[in-house]
Amino acid sequence: MFKLCGLQFLLAIQWAACQNMGDLHLTGPLKDMNFSIPEGTGVRPIYQFTSESPDVIFRATGEKDELIDILPHTGMLYLNGSLDWETKAVHNLQVESLDKNGDVVKGPCTVTIYVEDINDNPPKFDQTQYTGVVRQNSRAGKPFMRVHATDLDDPTTPHAQLNYSILHHFPNPYAEMLFQINSLTGEISPSRTGSYYLDPQKQDTFTLVVSVKDMAGMTENAFKNSVDVIITVKESLWKAPPTITIKENSTQPHPVNISQVHSNEPDVIYEVFEKESLAKFPFSIDQNGSIYVTEPLDREEKDAYSFFVITKDKEGELVDKPLKINVVVEDINDNPPVCQNAVTILEVQENESGGSSIGTLSATDMDQKDTLNSRLKFKILSQDPAVPTSNLFFIQQDTGVLQLYGHSLNKRIASNYSLKVEVTDEVFQAICDVQIHVIDINDQIPIFEKSDYHNVTVAESLPVGTVLLEIQATDGDEPATGSSHIIYQVKEGDPNNTFIIETDFETNRGFLKINKALDFETAAVHNLVINATNPEPLVSGVQYNSSSLTLFKVFVTNVDEPPAFHKEVYTAELSEDVPVNTLVMTVEAHDPEGDAVRYSLEGDWRKWLRIDSTTGQIYTASALDREQEQVYRVDVVASEINNAAQKFKTPLVLNLKDVNDNPPRLNMDYPLFFCYPLRGGEKALIRATDDDEQKFYSTITFSLKDDIDTINNWEISKVNATHAYLSPKHTNFEEKVYTAPMIINDNGVPQLEREVVLEVSICTCSSENSCFIQVEREHSKPSTGQAIGILLGVLIVIGAIIGGAFFHMKYKEKNKKKSQQKDAKDQSESDKLNA
C-alpha cells in the first residue's frame, strides 16, 4: 500500500510537470493509440485515459512485462521501470474500461508502445586479434583481409552505424601509411605507397591498430573500440621467369608449355601482349598462367622474342604490372655452308715466292655465329691443271686463306688454275670453285718512240685544254695490266703545272694539254722533260732509264693583251653628305706588255663621280643622295694609251650611308573631310613618312601650329609612330574648306621638321559618308573624261570656224559673179545708147 502510494505520488508530480508544458496532450478518451518511448527512462506516466461514464475502472492486459501498467481509478497508463530496446522493441497492450460489476464499458482498445533505441552499446570486434597475409607488389586498394565489429543498438539508426579507421601501424618507416581500410566495410588493402614499398626482405611483419566507432564516427561522444591486426608480408608471386630458351625446329607436338606465371590475386584473367607487330605471334597463355609456344621456331628467321603478360580483373582493369617475358631461340646445326661467290677469282704474279698469300675463299653458315654449328673448315680437293705439280697451292683449314707452296708459278706453263675446295661444318659440306690467274710481272719499262719531240710555237692566248702534242711509248709486259699501262708526267720544266698529260689506256697514247693559261711575260719558253712509268711497281733489279724519257720545247709568243685590274670588284662606302671632291678610292690596273694605262668611268649616269685618268683616283663630282640611289654602280675602265681598243672594265659598287637630310612629309592619297553638321567625337587619320633610312624605329611627332584659330578649332592625338588623329574641338563649323597648319618632326640627328597646311572640308555627306562638295584644288589636272570632252569641244569650234570661212568665201564669190554680170549688162546697155 505504501509502495503504491509512493508510485502514485511520483506519477502525480511528473504528471503535473507534463501538464505545465502547454503543447503536451497526455489525457483523452479511451481509443486505439501508439506511443514511442525512449529506452532507459525509468518510472514515468505515459497517458491518462478518461471516460464519460462515472464510476468506471481501467484494466490493461497484454505484454506488460512487469514494466507497464495502468491505475484502475484514474486511467493513468505508466512505466514502473526502464524499457530496453535490445530486450524488446515493441509492447502490445489492450486497455478497457469496466463498470462496478466488472462489465466492459468500452474496449478493449489496442495500445502499442514502441521502444526508441538510444546509443547505449559500444561496438565490439568479432575477434580479439586478426591476422592477414599480403603479397609484395599487391594492387593498391585491393582488399586482402577484413575486420568486423557488431553493435547491439538499432541498425536503422546511427547508433549502430560503424566507422573503421587505422590508428597506427608498427613499424611505420614512411611518411604515408602502407595500409588503408575501407571505413564502411573494414576491408584492409595496401595503399599506393604500400603497393610500391612493401618488401618482405626489409620488413615482413606489421601490427595495425584498427579502431571502430559507432554514430558513423561523426560525434565525439560516440562509443569506440580497437583491435590489433597482425599482417605478414610475403614475397610476390608475380615474377617474370628467367629467360626462356627454346630449341629451334622442335618436332614435339605443339603447343608446348615453356613456363608459368602466378598473380598475387585469385580469379584473374591472363593475357599476352606482343611488343612487336609480327605477322603470326607464336605464343599463348591459359587461365592458369601457363605460357605456351604454339609452333616450331626458326632461329635463322628470328633468334629472340620479347612480349608481356598482363592480368585483368572481371571488370577489365589491370591487376598487376606487366611482366616482360624474354625468349631466346637456341640454334641447331640445320644450315649447310654456302660459298660467298659462285666462283672466287684470285690473281698472283708469276714471281711470287713460296708462302705468299694469294687471297681468301669466303663462305658463310646461317647457324649461330661463334658456335660449332657455324665453324667452317676448308680443304683443297683438286687442282687443274696439275702442272708442274698437283700441289702448288695450300689453304688454311680455319681461315680459307690460300697460299703458294715453295714453287714459283710460270705463266708460260699455265696462265690459269682451277681449284675445287671443300667447305664443311660438323654436319654439312659444300664445294666451292676457285680460279687463280697467273699475271705477268712488271719487268719491262716503257720506251718512248722518240727521245725528242722537238718544239712547238704557240700564242699565249691559246685556250686552256688545247692539245699541243701527242706522244707514244710502248711496254713489253702483258697488255691491259698494271704492268703495261703507261702514265705520262712532266718531270722537269713545269714548276707551275702549266701542262698536263692524259693517257688513253687502250692505246697508251699520251696527250699534252694546256692546264693553265700561258703567259709570255712570265715564261716565254718551256723546256719540258717527260717520263713514262707503270702503275705497278717494277720488279727487283729493273729500273727506269733514259728510254722512258723524252724532250719537248714550247715557245710562247706575245699577244697584245688588255690591261688587268688588281681586283675583280671594287667596293666603297661613303656618307651621302660628303663634300664634292672627296676621294672615294684609288683603282690600279697594269698592262701585261707594260704599256701605259688610262682610266675612265662608264655608267655614271648621275654624274656623281670623276676619275683621274692617270692615277686612277676616284672623287665625288657632285652631291650624293642616298634617297635617289642607295647602291650606286659604275664600271671603271682601264685602256692602253697607245691602243684604246685594248681595254678592260671592272665594276665599282658605292654603298651610300644615310644622314638625316629629309624632313618627314605627309603620305596621304585621300582628302580630309568631316560631315556637316558635326555631332562631336569625329576624327580623321593623318599619315606621314620619312624618306631617310630608318636604322632604328622611326618616330614622327605631329603638332599644330601655334595660332589662335588653329588651337581653337583643332586638336591632334597620336596613334603610333607614323599616324595621328585630327579632331575638331567643337561642332560650330560652317560648310566650307578650313585650313589646319601643323608641324611634323622626325627623331633623327639632327632633328628635322616640315610645316604643312592641311585642307579640311566640312561638307554635306551622302549615305555612304562621301562628301558631295568637291574641294577646289589649284593647278589640278583634268581627268581622262574631261580631257576627251575638251578635245571634242576644240574640234567642234575649229570645224565651225572652218565651215564659216568656207560659206563666207562662197558667198563673196557668188556676189562677185552677180556684180560682174550687172556690170556687163550695164556696159551693154551703155553701148546700145551710144550707138
Side-chain angles (χ1 to χ4, degrees):
M1 181 67 182
F2 178 77
K3 183 178 180 182
L4 184 57
C5 289
L7 177 62
Q8 290 177 342
F9 178 74
L10 179 61
L11 291 173
I13 292 174
Q14 292 188 359
W15 186 259
C18 291
Q19 291 294 338
N20 289 332
M21 300 174 66
D23 292 337
L24 296 178
H25 304 283
L26 300 178
T27 63
L30 181 63
K31 59 181 180 178
D32 292 343
M33 295 192 74
N34 297 326
F35 300 97
S36 293
I37 301 174
E39 63 175 330
T41 57
V43 177
R44 56 161 290 179
I46 300 174
Y47 194 82
Q48 184 175 21
F49 293 104
T50 60
S51 176
E52 296 177 354
S53 302
D55 301 327
V56 297
I57 61 174
F58 293 89
R59 181 174 65 187
T61 58
E63 299 173 349
K64 296 190 289 183
D65 297 329
E66 298 182 356
L67 293 174
I68 309 170
D69 211 342
I70 192 168
L71 294 176
H73 297 290
T74 64
M76 175 71 70
L77 184 67
Y78 66 93
L79 293 177
N80 63 6
S82 294
L83 298 176
D84 185 10
W85 181 89
E86 288 76 23
T87 303
K88 195 174 186 69
V90 180
H91 295 267
N92 295 305
L93 304 175
Q94 293 77 39
V95 178
E96 55 190 356
S97 60
L98 307 172
D99 59 16
K100 294 180 179 180
N101 298 322
D103 295 326
V104 175
V105 176
K106 188 175 182 179
C109 294
T110 300
V111 176
T112 303
I113 298 176
Y114 295 96
V115 183
E116 293 181 5
D117 182 52
I118 65 172
N119 190 22
D120 57 351
N121 290 283
K124 184 178 181 182
F125 283 102
D126 296 348
Q127 299 175 210
T128 58
Q129 188 181 75
Y130 290 85
T131 59
V133 175
V134 62
R135 293 283 178 181
Q136 180 186 10
N137 298 329
S138 291
R139 183 168 42 150
K142 181 69 175 178
F144 61 88
M145 67 172 297
R146 180 184 180 189
V147 297
H148 183 261
T150 56
D151 192 308
L152 297 178
D153 290 320
D154 186 357
T156 63
T157 67
H159 304 152
Q161 292 181 8
L162 304 184
N163 182 274
Y164 298 92
S165 64
I166 298 176
L167 295 180
H168 312 284
H169 72 57
F170 305 100
N172 187 12
Y174 302 102
E176 298 180 10
M177 285 195 176
L178 302 179
F179 300 94
Q180 58 191 17
I181 191 168
N182 187 307
S183 62
L184 299 179
T185 65
E187 293 175 320
I188 299 175
S189 62
S191 66
R192 287 187 178 274
T193 304
S195 177
Y196 187 81
Y197 285 110
L198 285 174
D199 185 351
Q201 302 297 324
K202 296 179 180 178
Q203 182 68 38
D204 61 354
T205 305
F206 291 87
T207 299
L208 275 60
V209 180
V210 177
S211 172
V212 63
K213 291 182 180 181
D214 61 16
M215 299 300 291
M218 302 299 293
T219 62
E220 292 184 0
N221 58 351
F223 288 109
K224 64 182 178 180
N225 207 338
S226 62
V227 70
D228 287 351
V229 179
I230 311 300
I231 297 176
T232 301
V233 182
K234 291 191 175 181
E235 192 174 1
S236 176
L237 297 174
W238 186 243
K239 290 183 178 181
T243 298
I244 303 167
T245 301
I246 302 174
K247 278 192 176 184
E248 66 172 329
N249 299 323
S250 171
T251 57
Q252 289 181 267
H254 285 73
V256 176
N257 178 253
I258 55 175
S259 189
Q260 187 173 16
V261 294
H262 301 276
S263 175
N264 288 323
E265 297 182 19
D267 303 324
V268 297
I269 300 169
Y270 293 92
E271 294 180 4
V272 290
F273 174 76
E274 59 176 305
K275 183 179 179 182
E276 305 165 285
S277 297
L278 303 176
K280 188 174 182 182
F281 187 64
F283 299 97
S284 65
I285 191 169
D286 64 17
Q287 292 315 300
N288 294 320
S290 295
I291 302 173
Y292 297 89
V293 58
T294 58
E295 61 185 40
L297 306 179
D298 185 356
R299 191 203 67 86
E300 286 70 42
E301 182 179 323
K302 188 172 178 61
D303 61 358
Y305 296 84
S306 290
F307 58 92
F308 292 91
V309 175
I310 59 174
T311 53
K312 296 181 180 179
D313 57 21
K314 294 179 180 179
E315 286 74 34
E317 297 293 328
L318 284 176
V319 174
D320 300 293
K321 298 176 183 177
L323 286 185
K324 187 176 182 181
I325 309 299
N326 294 312
V327 176
V328 173
V329 184
E330 185 179 349
D331 184 49
I332 64 172
N333 196 350
D334 58 348
N335 289 280
V338 176
C339 305
Q340 188 167 325
N341 300 302
V343 178
T344 300
I345 299 175
L346 304 174
E347 291 184 345
V348 58
Q349 285 187 341
E350 59 181 343
N351 66 333
E352 289 287 348
S353 59
S356 298
S357 175
I358 301 173
T360 302
L361 172 62
S362 297
T364 58
D365 193 305
M366 292 292 292
D367 291 318
Q368 188 172 352
K369 188 179 179 182
D370 298 326
T371 66
L372 292 175
N373 295 335
S374 61
R375 180 190 179 189
L376 301 181
K377 294 182 179 181
F378 299 85
K379 179 183 177 182
I380 297 176
L381 297 180
S382 65
Q383 168 195 313
D384 182 34
V387 293
T389 64
S390 60
N391 59 344
L392 291 174
F393 305 99
F394 168 79
I395 192 166
Q396 294 182 11
Q397 175 180 277
D398 291 309
T399 63
V401 174
L402 278 161
Q403 295 174 286
L404 280 175
Y405 265 126
H407 303 280
S408 295
L409 303 179
N410 190 326
K411 185 175 181 179
R412 290 184 293 274
I413 298 176
S415 61
N416 292 286
Y417 290 91
S418 296
L419 304 181
K420 296 287 186 183
V421 179
E422 180 185 58
V423 185
T424 60
D425 60 19
E426 288 193 330
V427 177
F428 301 97
Q429 68 176 20
I431 305 298
C432 297
D433 290 324
V434 180
Q435 285 189 4
I436 300 175
H437 298 313
V438 182
I439 60 176
D440 185 32
I441 59 175
N442 191 11
D443 56 357
Q444 301 291 321
I445 64 172
I447 298 174
F448 275 104
E449 63 178 6
K450 295 179 181 180
S451 61
D452 190 337
Y453 281 88
H454 305 295
N455 59 73
V456 66
T457 300
V458 295
E460 64 177 336
S461 59
L462 209 60
V464 170
T466 301
V467 177
L468 301 182
L469 176 69
E470 293 186 19
I471 56 178
Q472 181 72 62
T474 57
D475 192 301
D477 290 311
E478 181 180 1
T481 65
S483 299
S484 62
H485 284 160
I486 298 176
I487 298 173
Y488 298 99
Q489 292 175 316
V490 178
K491 185 178 180 181
E492 297 175 12
D494 186 22
N496 298 319
N497 297 321
T498 305
F499 305 98
I500 189 172
I501 305 175
E502 296 177 356
T503 303
D504 179 356
F505 285 112
E506 291 186 3
T507 63
N508 271 343
R509 194 164 188 80
F511 300 89
L512 177 69
K513 296 181 178 181
I514 299 174
N515 187 44
K516 295 179 181 178
L518 301 175
D519 187 1
F520 171 82
E521 289 73 24
T522 303
V525 179
H526 297 271
N527 294 302
L528 307 181
V529 178
I530 302 171
N531 68 354
T533 59
N534 301 127
E536 193 72 27
L538 295 173
V539 298
S540 178
V542 179
Q543 294 181 350
Y544 295 107
N545 55 39
S546 60
S547 299
S548 300
L549 299 175
T550 191
L551 304 177
F552 183 58
K553 186 177 293 187
V554 179
F555 292 99
V556 181
T557 60
N558 188 29
V559 175
D560 189 12
E561 299 171 281
F565 283 98
H566 290 178
K567 293 183 180 180
E568 293 183 1
V569 178
Y570 288 93
T571 59
E573 188 174 72
L574 280 180
S575 179
E576 64 174 330
D577 63 345
V578 298
V580 175
N581 291 326
T582 297
L583 177 64
V584 178
M585 66 166 47
T586 300
V587 298
E588 188 176 355
H590 73 281
D591 185 77
E593 290 75 37
D595 293 339
V597 175
R598 182 189 304 277
Y599 300 96
S600 61
L601 295 177
E602 288 184 1
D604 182 22
W605 64 283
R606 290 195 179 273
K607 307 302 180 185
W608 281 355
L609 302 173
R610 66 179 178 84
I611 189 169
D612 188 309
S613 62
T614 303
T615 64
Q617 292 177 321
I618 301 175
Y619 298 88
T620 58
S622 60
L624 308 178
D625 188 358
R626 190 206 65 86
E627 285 67 45
Q628 293 183 8
E629 294 284 344
Q630 183 174 349
V631 180
Y632 191 53
R633 293 178 172 85
V634 297
D635 287 328
V636 184
V637 181
S639 58
E640 294 180 5
I641 291 179
N642 299 324
N643 184 4
Q646 288 288 21
K647 64 180 181 178
F648 187 80
K649 59 184 176 181
T650 192
L652 165 62
V653 179
L654 183 60
N655 296 296
L656 297 182
K657 295 189 294 183
D658 186 51
V659 296
N660 193 29
D661 57 352
N662 289 279
R665 58 180 175 82
L666 290 178
N667 182 23
M668 298 166 56
D669 55 359
Y670 50 88
L672 290 182
F673 69 90
F674 294 103
C675 293
Y676 179 84
L678 275 71
R679 299 181 180 180
E682 295 92 342
K683 54 187 178 180
L685 187 66
I686 305 169
R687 182 174 64 202
T689 187
D690 194 317
D691 294 322
D692 289 316
E693 181 182 8
Q694 304 303 320
K695 293 182 179 178
F696 305 101
Y697 190 65
S698 172
T699 300
I700 296 175
T701 305
F702 300 84
S703 60
L704 291 169
K705 193 170 182 182
D706 191 13
D707 66 71
I708 295 176
D709 289 342
T710 303
I711 297 301
N712 290 339
N713 287 340
W714 310 102
E715 63 181 353
I716 281 186
S717 58
K718 183 176 180 179
V719 176
N720 55 32
T722 56
H723 292 73
Y725 283 127
L726 177 70
S727 305
K729 272 192 172 181
H730 55 83
T731 59
N732 300 323
F733 286 89
E734 298 179 7
E735 194 172 358
K736 66 176 185 178
V737 177
Y738 289 82
T739 59
M742 63 184 300
I743 298 171
I744 51 178
N745 301 79
D746 62 19
N747 63 336
V749 179
Q751 189 179 63
L752 299 179
E753 68 177 35
R754 185 190 297 270
E755 184 177 328
V756 297
V757 178
L758 285 175
E759 290 187 350
V760 185
S761 296
I762 308 297
C763 56
T764 303
C765 293
S766 66
S767 58
E768 290 82 14
N769 285 332
S770 298
C771 194
F772 277 131
I773 301 174
Q774 294 294 328
V775 180
E776 294 184 1
R777 299 180 183 272
E778 295 182 0
H779 308 296
S780 60
K781 295 181 180 179
S783 65
T784 303
Q786 292 173 333
I788 294 173
I790 292 171
L791 179 61
L792 291 174
V794 169
L795 292 175
I796 291 172
V797 170
I798 294 172
I801 293 172
I802 294 172
F806 177 76
F807 285 117
H808 179 70
M809 291 173 65
K810 286 285 187 180
Y811 179 76
K812 286 180 68 177
E813 184 179 355
K814 185 177 180 181
N815 287 339
K816 184 178 181 181
K817 287 182 179 180
K818 287 182 179 179
S819 177
Q820 290 175 350
Q821 290 175 357
K822 184 178 179 182
D823 291 342
K825 185 177 180 182
D826 291 341
Q827 182 67 35
S828 176
E829 290 178 351
S830 176
D831 291 341
K832 287 181 180 182
L833 289 175
N834 291 331

